[in-house]
Amino acid sequence: MGHIELSLSGAFVPQARTPAEAEFVPSVDRWTSTVAEAAEPCLVIDTDANILALSASCSELFGLGKPVEVIGQPLNTIRLIDFTAGAAELDETDADKIPPLLAIRSERLARGLMRVVPGPDEPPLTIDAISTPLLHNDRVAGSLTFFSPVR
């Protein structure tokens, strides 16, 4: 028969939990640093639709150049087009319905397809986007969006 031996050193008394410093950092700030290093195409915008952070793969997907040059630019830097054969540029009312902006306005998860032109002489690209609002003090402070090209 097997033998198990246990020994007890002093009694374990859990220490009172003090909040970690990260708990005091707004979620937008935490996500901007995470997104900047992410391998996946993703971005963070503020409530004014300015780009706060984007991954290198996101910048490449949308044909925006170096991520550091895009920070602070409005989201409409991305050339959005409709799903018609004519591929007309989206007007402002339709552009407001894309997931990153819808997540801010609705204060809920948003998912949808977007069609973009990544660069001159490049074919349109359909992208699946899923966005979540980012909160600070129980108020929406921006959104985090992950993108996946539909091929």
Side-chain angles (χ1 to χ4, degrees):
M1 174 184 253
H3 178 75
I4 298 177
E5 210 172 293
L6 297 174
S7 68
L8 297 174
S9 51
F12 173 73
V13 179
Q15 299 296 315
R17 187 176 183 281
T18 58
E21 183 177 315
E23 291 180 33
F24 296 110
V25 177
S27 67
V28 171
D29 294 340
R30 278 184 280 165
W31 278 109
T32 55
S33 61
T34 302
V35 162
E37 301 297 322
E40 302 83 7
C42 53
L43 72 85
V44 174
I45 62 170
D46 63 16
T47 55
D48 294 326
N50 294 317
I51 298 171
L52 298 178
L54 73 161
S55 64
S57 58
C58 182
S59 187
E60 182 180 321
L61 181 67
F62 291 118
L64 298 175
K66 295 180 181 176
V68 70
E69 296 170 356
V70 182
I71 305 301
Q73 298 293 319
L75 187 61
N76 66 10
T77 302
I78 298 169
R79 186 163 172 239
L80 299 166
I81 58 173
D82 64 20
F83 284 90
T84 65
E89 203 159 318
L90 285 185
D91 61 23
E92 192 174 324
T93 57
D94 286 333
D96 282 343
K97 298 173 187 167
I98 64 170
L101 299 174
L102 189 57
I104 291 172
R105 273 197 339 277
S106 69
E107 300 183 4
R108 303 182 115 178
L109 286 174
R111 185 174 188 184
L113 294 176
M114 299 168 41
R115 193 168 181 217
V116 302
V117 177
D121 302 323
E122 290 192 43
L125 182 62
T126 301
I127 298 172
D128 183 17
I130 186 160
S131 301
T132 185
L134 298 175
L135 303 177
H136 180 67
N137 294 332
D138 297 329
R139 296 187 53 102
V140 173
S143 71
L144 165 66
T145 306
F146 288 91
F147 301 98
S148 179
V150 178
R151 302 190 195 269

